[in-house]
Amino acid sequence: MKSLMKFAMVTGLGLSLAVVPASGIAALQQGAKAPDFTLKAAQGGKPFTLSLKQTLRNGPVVLYFFPAAFTPGCTVEAHLFAEASDDFNRQGARVIGVTAGNIERVAEFSKSECRDKFAVAADPGAAVAAKYDSTMRRPDGTMLSNRTSYVIAPNGTILMSYTDPKPQAHIEKSMAAVRAWRAKLR
């Protein structure tokens, strides 16, 4: 696990130097209303239509945007979320990854790198990421999802928002927000 974390730090730094946040863009903040969306997604390689509104009916959602499937930092992040997925499920939360990719690539990524543990949605052109103010622009002008994680309450309120090019802390901060939400229910 330590070597995986070290790899994540190095690749996260490399990715952060290759892209820049879109000017004037900052992630939606705690307390904001999460924009609803419906996207083509896959889990375990099986495609389906994912609706945020529908998923929120079953509990909070850990929604994380990542730049591109099969890149080093995004692969590490997917592995870390897959490892923590059972813990999120025990807390009543569902993990959803979103990237500006096509459904065929996302389906493959959901099976191999997400280890069949959670859904990954394709967001061509980063349109949904833009609604969440979670985009960045590559030097060639292509828009990508910025590495941003949200925890969204069942009522659609954002409980946590975190942006960092390094993947490691996203899982820890998301889990802490889910646990804090559950503690308030007691």
Side-chain angles (χ1 to χ4, degrees):
M1 184 65 152
K2 281 188 178 183
S3 61
L4 186 61
M5 294 299 266
K6 226 183 244 184
F7 179 73
M9 290 171 56
V10 170
T11 56
L13 176 62
L15 182 58
S16 67
L17 297 175
V19 294
V20 294
S23 61
I25 302 288
L28 294 179
Q29 296 301 304
Q30 182 178 342
K33 187 76 171 165
D36 191 25
F37 63 85
T38 300
L39 291 171
K40 291 181 180 179
Q43 184 166 352
K46 296 179 175 76
F48 67 98
T49 300
L50 184 139
S51 159
L52 177 63
K53 185 177 181 179
Q54 181 73 28
T55 306
L56 285 170
R57 290 182 183 160
N58 299 317
V61 168
V62 176
L63 177 67
Y64 84 96
F65 291 93
F66 61 100
F70 298 106
T71 57
C74 296
T75 296
V76 167
E77 187 175 30
H79 290 178
L80 294 172
F81 268 116
E83 289 171 13
S85 199
D86 290 340
D87 291 336
F88 280 114
N89 290 339
R90 279 191 284 279
Q91 296 294 320
R94 298 294 169 259
V95 175
I96 300 171
V98 178
T99 188
N102 66 53
I103 191 60
E104 293 81 19
R105 191 127 170 101
V106 164
E108 184 182 342
F109 190 74
S110 77
K111 188 172 183 173
S112 64
E113 306 310 328
C114 302
R115 302 178 178 150
D116 303 338
K117 294 284 194 171
F118 59 91
V120 183
D123 179 21
V128 172
K131 290 179 184 180
Y132 279 80
D133 292 337
S134 298
T135 58
M136 61 185 173
R137 188 178 311 278
R138 291 175 61 180
D140 69 1
T142 306
M143 292 300 283
L144 296 174
S145 308
N146 198 0
R147 191 175 316 281
T148 303
S149 298
Y150 296 93
V151 175
I152 305 168
N155 69 1
T157 302
I158 294 175
L159 301 172
M160 186 230 43
S161 169
Y162 179 71
T163 301
D164 189 340
K166 297 173 285 202
Q168 315 75 286
H170 287 264
I171 292 79
E172 296 162 10
K173 290 186 180 292
S174 296
M175 182 59 76
V178 168
R179 286 187 174 137
W181 173 81
R182 274 193 61 84
K184 286 183 181 178
L185 295 179
R186 296 179 184 165

